[in-house]
Amino acid sequence: MICGQLTDYTVNASGARRAKKRTAMESSSGDGQSSLRSSGRQTKRKATDTEEEEDQSEKKYRKCEKAGCSATYPVCFASASERCAKNGYTSRWYHLSCGEHFCNECFDHYYRSHKDGYETYASWKRVWTGNGKSEPSLKAFMADQQLPYWVQCTKPDCGKWRQLTKEIQLTASLAATYRCGMKFNNVKTEGPDQCSLPEDLRVAEVIDSWWHSMLILPPLFKDSPANPFLTAYYPDCVGMSPSGSTSNHSHAEEGSVTQINACSLTHTLCSVPGLCPYFQPFYQPNECGKALCVRPDMMELDELYEFPEFSRDPTMYLALRNLILASWHRGCKEVLTPQNCAPHIIVRGLVRVRCVQEMDRVLLFMTRKGLINTGVLSVKQPLLPERYHNKNVIVIGAGASGLAAARQLQNFGMQVVMLEASERIGGRVWDDTSLGGVTVGRGAQIVNGCVNNPIALMSEQLSINMHKLGERCDLFQEGGSATDPAIDKRMDFHFNAILDVVSEWRKDKSQNQDTPLGEKIQEVYKTFLQESGVQFSQLEEKVLQFHLSNLEYACGSTLDQVSARSWDHNEFFAQFSGDHTLLTEGYSSVLNKLAEGLDIRIKTIDYSGDIVKVTSSNGTQWTAQKVLVTVPLTLLQKNIIQFNPPLPERKLKAIHSLGAGLIEKVALQFPFRFWDGKIQGADYFGHIPPSPDKRGMFGVFYDMDPQGKRSVLMSVISGEAVPSIRDMEDKDVADQCVKVLRELFKEQEVPDPVNYFVTRWSRDMWSQMSYSFVKTGGSGEAYDIIAEDVQGKVFFAGEATNRHFPQTVTGAYLSGVREASKIAAL
């Protein structure tokens, strides 16, 4: 059988014809004595007959009792009972949508225990009850099992929707290839080109906005690509049909489900075979605090703002959003299009037409927000419709944030010009391969937390391997001895206990009661020693200094500059979880794929008029509707870029309330791997400072070749050690580093390095910093204020504008995606 061709106007016409025919038959069977009566009495009798006939007609053609239903002559789609009303009279019509009804006879066929269809319904009900949370009503059964499928012709010049017969099961493959008149079981309709036949009139009604409000049951998808991700949820709470679920959940006891997820069951880690383990787009039940996850059973605030019509019943939106997110993570190397997604919307009834229509909107929104179709995709056609293409944007700065924004905006279809002052792209990402071909990041190279991290996404798109860093970090003392792990564990506990006390202290403190973190730590530490009577050994004190050195590395500053109240402000937000990895090919392998840039120096940004003018130091001028500024915080603090009019006072205050953190690196190439025997394959090892004044000088050494073939170590200089090397020659810094290594590996030969380099970020004209931190008296809110646009014309991105993920390439990248979305929306 092929798709049914019975349309609504045919139903209405046949119903009307049948009504007229029956009325005629009933009037022909009148009183046989009428011919003997007077003409006056005959006239009166005929009038009475007409009234009775109208009453009979009313009984024969009961309307749907659903208020607002447009079906004048309902038709039963079920045809389950031998006494099915078809398009005739029934004692009651059951409404599923405007255009889809079933009669009382078919209701009884499944609902009454003595009827033939009862066991079919009862069997379905058992499965639904075992897997689902919603009521397994007969209407749900009809919607889930009995409604016919609708499918759209894939011919470019057709696109008409057709109703399949009940015997045909819709699959993604069929939906992707269906054409009008397609053969099923070698049966084909004879006649003209099937595409020329008119589309069912009910389809036009489905597209109207009011139709959705008349829908009795929300659509629940079968075989959704999201199903493997969400096996720990009740399917109907995340937009999927319990009858199509492969899992068999038992009901949670009343009141036992936690508040975080009213529709969840158990905490089950999602594992989708063949999928990158870092792709975990959905929270699992009772899980929290994982960055860039969404609740599959709940709309987020920006979604509610964009789609307020789904606020009362979000099921259709959740089903579509979950399907789109899952599809993207299954195939992130190609652009996700409506044509990719529509075939996977498997749901019975006319509602499928509406779902495919809404899917276009949802996919567009998710693309604009950078949730899908992002990263280093190669885009042949603009991702957003033509109405988004009428903007031209200047992006200043070709670091991670600028490149991310430019790539997004260009993919959206906008005109983008990038201006970069230095002779290279990347900003504070700068990979060096001068040490025997080993990639060493002069700036960033480690990804902290890979789950849902966009860097992991782009690495997957480019088939770049990320080396998982091990957790072991042996601590060595000068003299060569290894530190007892128990001592390290003990001092790590005390160090974190000190920070916990600082966290308690700040709970009731206002911004003007702030104090430097270093002072507060010393105060807590001394109080602890006095009150507890504990005495630490000299080695334990040195190990504590090692942990303080790591804290200065994390902050990018000495602790006397850092806010005790807000030093870890971003920890209040969900952070990236999972493995820490080393990008052995460097961040540049990712950024180079994003890169579009020009080598031009910036001088002035004039946004006083309707358009924005950007003037370089050589007088060259560009104009645009929008400008995105992505330069490092230091350059804003030092007014390297001039704004006309000046930036708002509120923004300037925020800019100066953050600190420009600074660390340096030294990397050395040796003729052989002298450290292998001692560190036994660990990715890094620690150096315990011999005294507090040596803290921060080569605190950790990283093995830059995890394969163990080449001999390159890299170390970090942080805290007070940074200014101490500022005026030293590179060779002197390298010599000091080798001297420390010879102390740590005293029992063996440590050769002279064959090559080395020392970073000088403090001297880099277009960076002058490593990453931001909150200064004493500041707060995390400053990141949000710096991120605010000015007059809808000048926008800002960069790690110092990302309150959730500052200090990282990931945070910079996401800030660029964020601003691209804002610019597109305006």
Side-chain angles (χ1 to χ4, degrees):
M1 297 290 290
I2 67 162
C3 58
Q5 303 298 338
L6 189 65
T7 55
D8 196 36
Y9 66 84
T10 308
V11 171
N12 287 344
S14 64
R17 284 196 297 272
R18 183 176 294 184
K20 290 179 181 178
K21 184 177 180 182
R22 291 188 178 180
T23 302
M25 290 174 62
E26 288 166 357
S27 60
S28 70
S29 60
D31 188 344
Q33 302 299 320
S34 60
S35 59
L36 301 177
R37 295 173 183 148
S38 68
S39 59
R41 292 178 65 187
Q42 282 182 331
T43 303
K44 184 177 181 181
R45 181 68 180 181
K46 286 180 180 177
T48 306
D49 286 346
T50 301
E51 292 172 2
E52 291 177 356
E53 288 158 7
E54 288 176 354
D55 290 342
Q56 288 294 326
S57 176
E58 189 67 28
K59 290 180 182 178
K60 291 294 183 181
Y61 300 97
R62 178 187 288 274
K63 295 181 180 180
C64 174
E65 296 177 0
K66 171 71 174 175
C69 181
S70 60
T72 306
Y73 297 99
V75 180
C76 181
F77 64 78
S79 299
S81 170
E82 292 181 358
R83 301 180 61 189
C84 175
K86 308 296 187 203
N87 61 341
Y89 173 82
T90 183
S91 59
R92 180 180 177 185
W93 285 108
Y94 293 86
H95 175 106
L96 290 182
S97 76
C98 291
E100 293 170 322
H101 301 80
F102 60 97
C103 68
N104 195 59
E105 288 72 16
C106 288
F107 176 93
D108 286 346
H109 176 77
Y110 290 110
Y111 192 74
R112 307 300 175 190
S113 59
H114 62 284
K115 297 287 186 176
D116 292 343
Y118 175 77
E119 185 49 42
T120 303
Y121 170 55
S123 176
W124 169 89
K125 190 174 180 179
R126 286 191 291 271
V127 174
W128 190 280
T129 303
N131 290 334
K133 191 174 177 67
S134 57
E135 178 66 29
S137 65
L138 189 72
K139 283 188 176 182
F141 167 76
M142 287 296 202
D144 188 69
Q145 296 291 308
Q146 298 300 311
L147 275 173
Y149 285 108
W150 288 76
V151 66
Q152 191 172 26
C153 180
T154 57
K155 287 185 180 179
D157 56 348
C158 179
K160 292 187 177 75
W161 284 91
R162 305 301 189 189
Q163 177 183 300
L164 300 178
T165 55
K166 289 177 62 176
E167 295 79 12
I168 299 172
Q169 296 292 315
L170 182 64
T171 63
S173 176
L174 172 57
T177 57
Y178 176 80
R179 295 191 170 200
C180 294
M182 190 174 182
K183 289 183 179 181
F184 294 98
N185 300 325
N186 296 319
V187 177
K188 187 179 188 296
T189 294
E190 300 296 332
D193 175 21
Q194 299 298 307
C195 288
S196 65
L197 295 175
E199 188 178 64
D200 193 308
L201 292 183
R202 290 175 291 173
V203 172
E205 289 189 339
V206 173
I207 295 173
D208 287 339
S209 58
W210 61 268
W211 188 90
H212 183 245
S213 65
M214 298 294 292
L215 193 65
I216 291 297
L217 297 168
L220 297 174
F221 296 176
K222 300 174 186 286
D223 302 320
S224 171
N227 187 49
F229 291 87
L230 302 174
T231 54
Y233 285 85
Y234 287 113
D236 39 344
C237 290
V238 291
M240 299 186 297
S241 170
S243 69
S245 174
T246 55
S247 54
N248 187 15
H249 300 308
S250 58
H251 281 306
E253 294 181 12
E254 194 69 28
S256 67
V257 184
T258 60
Q259 184 178 3
I260 189 169
N261 197 328
C263 292
S264 66
L265 292 172
T266 57
H267 186 138
T268 305
L269 182 64
C270 171
S271 177
V272 180
L275 197 71
C276 173
Y278 299 142
F279 291 179
Q280 297 177 27
F282 304 105
Y283 274 119
Q284 295 305 296
N286 305 325
E287 186 178 46
C288 60
K290 199 160 65 176
L292 302 193
C293 266
V294 298
R295 285 277 302 271
D297 59 340
M298 182 178 291
M299 293 177 72
E300 305 209 340
L301 287 177
D302 55 348
E303 294 174 319
L304 288 166
Y305 180 80
E306 189 81 10
F307 301 95
E309 66 271 28
F310 290 110
S311 59
R312 295 189 67 179
D313 186 349
T315 307
M316 182 187 295
Y317 178 83
L318 294 174
L320 291 168
R321 179 251 268 158
N322 295 345
L323 181 153
I324 290 169
L325 262 185
S327 298
W328 166 244
H329 284 90
R330 284 171 170 266
C332 66
K333 295 183 180 182
E334 302 290 339
V335 173
L336 189 65
T337 66
Q339 292 73 28
N340 300 143
C341 291
H344 294 281
I345 299 175
I346 308 296
V347 62
R348 292 179 180 273
L350 284 162
V351 74
R352 183 169 188 268
V353 180
R354 185 57 175 255
C355 286
V356 170
Q357 178 200 25
E358 297 291 350
M359 180 268 299
D360 284 1
R361 293 176 59 215
V362 178
L363 190 142
L364 188 69
F365 166 73
M366 295 175 72
T367 296
R368 177 167 59 81
K369 297 292 286 186
L371 298 171
I372 63 170
N373 291 335
T374 188
V376 294
L377 285 180
S378 176
V379 175
K380 296 178 182 178
Q381 298 293 330
L383 296 176
L384 298 187
E386 192 171 346
R387 66 180 183 273
Y388 288 93
H389 302 172
N390 61 352
K391 296 188 182 77
N392 52 65
V393 184
I394 295 173
V395 177
I396 299 174
S401 57
L403 291 170
R407 186 60 176 261
Q408 289 286 102
L409 292 168
Q410 190 174 67
N411 286 354
F412 290 168
M414 299 180 196
Q415 302 301 310
V416 183
V417 173
M418 287 200 72
L419 306 179
E420 170 56 49
S422 72
E423 296 179 352
R424 61 178 181 82
I425 66 165
R428 284 165 279 175
V429 168
W430 185 3
D431 290 333
D432 189 304
T433 57
S434 64
L435 305 185
V438 176
T439 300
V440 181
R442 287 175 173 263
Q445 192 171 3
I446 292 173
V447 183
N448 293 313
C450 289
V451 172
N452 298 331
N453 196 307
I455 306 303
L457 169 74
M458 290 187 282
S459 296
E460 180 74 9
Q461 289 173 328
L462 296 170
S463 300
I464 293 173
N465 291 325
M466 307 174 76
H467 173 70
K468 178 183 175 181
L469 293 171
E471 295 182 1
R472 197 172 105 243
C473 181
D474 296 333
L475 302 185
F476 297 104
Q477 305 163 49
E478 295 193 3
S481 59
T483 303
D484 184 348
I487 293 177
D488 180 23
K489 188 175 181 180
R490 182 185 183 204
M491 296 316 295
D492 182 60
F493 170 81
H494 283 290
F495 172 69
N496 284 293
I498 291 170
L499 295 179
D500 288 341
V501 174
V502 175
S503 295
E504 284 296 317
W505 163 84
R506 68 186 177 191
K507 283 182 177 179
D508 61 347
K509 298 296 182 292
S510 63
Q511 200 167 327
N512 58 13
Q513 294 175 299
D514 200 2
T515 190
L517 179 59
E519 287 183 17
K520 197 64 192 175
I521 286 174
Q522 285 300 315
E523 177 188 321
V524 172
Y525 180 56
K526 288 179 180 178
T527 301
F528 168 73
L529 294 180
Q530 291 171 358
E531 293 182 355
S532 67
V534 171
Q535 288 188 335
F536 292 127
S537 67
Q538 188 177 18
L539 175 59
E540 287 173 329
E541 290 279 4
K542 291 178 181 179
V543 172
L544 182 60
Q545 291 296 317
F546 169 81
H547 288 293
L548 288 170
S549 173
N550 265 343
L551 183 58
E552 290 178 322
Y553 175 23
C555 294
S557 171
T558 56
L559 299 183
D560 61 347
Q561 298 291 315
V562 180
S563 165
R565 183 175 172 271
S566 302
W567 73 273
D568 61 345
H569 64 99
N570 60 307
E571 293 297 324
F572 295 101
F573 306 106
Q575 296 297 299
F576 289 103
S577 60
D579 299 336
H580 298 324
T581 59
L582 177 73
L583 282 178
T584 53
E585 297 183 38
Y587 270 105
S588 60
S589 60
V590 172
L591 297 193
N592 285 341
K593 294 294 182 179
L594 292 170
E596 296 284 346
L598 298 172
D599 185 12
I600 301 168
R601 300 192 176 205
I602 308 306
K603 184 177 181 181
T604 303
I605 298 177
D606 186 338
Y607 61 98
S608 58
D610 293 334
I611 61 173
V612 186
K613 299 176 183 177
V614 179
T615 307
S616 71
S617 56
N618 65 6
T620 307
Q621 189 174 93
W622 293 263
T623 60
Q625 294 160 310
K626 315 286 181 187
V627 169
L628 174 60
V629 179
T630 72
V631 301
L633 177 69
T634 319
L635 304 190
L636 293 176
Q637 291 175 335
K638 295 184 177 181
N639 298 317
I640 300 298
I641 295 178
Q642 298 171 24
F643 294 86
N644 178 35
L647 293 177
E649 188 63 32
R650 163 184 165 87
K651 185 180 286 287
L652 291 173
K653 183 178 178 182
I655 287 170
H656 290 283
S657 73
L658 296 183
L662 189 63
I663 64 166
E664 302 289 2
K665 292 183 175 182
V666 57
L668 307 103
Q669 179 189 1
F670 293 95
F672 58 88
R673 297 172 59 87
F674 62 86
W675 59 88
D676 269 348
K678 196 164 185 176
I679 70 168
Q680 299 177 341
D683 291 306
Y684 40 81
F685 56 91
H687 160 219
I688 294 179
S691 60
D693 63 306
K694 296 291 185 181
R695 189 174 84 195
M697 187 68 82
F698 320 121
V700 179
F701 287 86
Y702 293 85
D703 183 346
M704 299 309 296
D705 184 16
Q707 302 300 321
K709 297 177 181 177
R710 293 169 291 186
S711 312
V712 177
L713 289 176
M714 183 272 290
S715 192
V716 177
I717 302 163
S718 61
E720 293 287 0
V722 173
S724 72
I725 68 151
R726 187 164 294 153
D727 298 325
M728 291 173 61
E729 296 292 329
D730 287 359
K731 184 180 185 306
D732 294 333
V733 177
D735 286 346
Q736 279 207 21
C737 190
V738 172
K739 183 179 179 182
V740 167
L741 285 169
R742 285 173 175 157
E743 281 292 326
L744 302 183
F745 294 84
K746 210 171 182 75
E747 69 284 354
Q748 65 188 78
E749 177 193 359
V750 175
D752 290 333
V754 296
N755 204 352
Y756 61 84
F757 70 73
V758 178
T759 64
R760 299 292 183 179
W761 288 106
S762 63
R763 301 178 190 172
D764 188 291
M765 181 183 297
W766 304 112
S767 294
Q768 302 184 37
M769 65 177 294
S770 297
Y771 39 76
S772 62
F773 65 92
V774 180
K775 292 198 294 191
T776 305
S779 78
E781 186 185 8
Y783 287 90
D784 289 338
I785 297 172
I786 299 173
E788 294 172 354
D789 65 89
V790 179
Q791 299 179 11
K793 291 184 281 187
V794 183
F795 298 78
F796 295 83
E799 59 87 14
T801 73
N802 194 326
R803 187 176 187 177
H804 290 224
F805 314 113
Q807 305 177 322
T808 63
V809 177
T810 297
Y813 175 87
L814 287 171
S815 73
V817 172
R818 177 197 70 212
E819 294 306 303
S821 178
K822 284 166 59 176
I823 292 170
L826 290 176

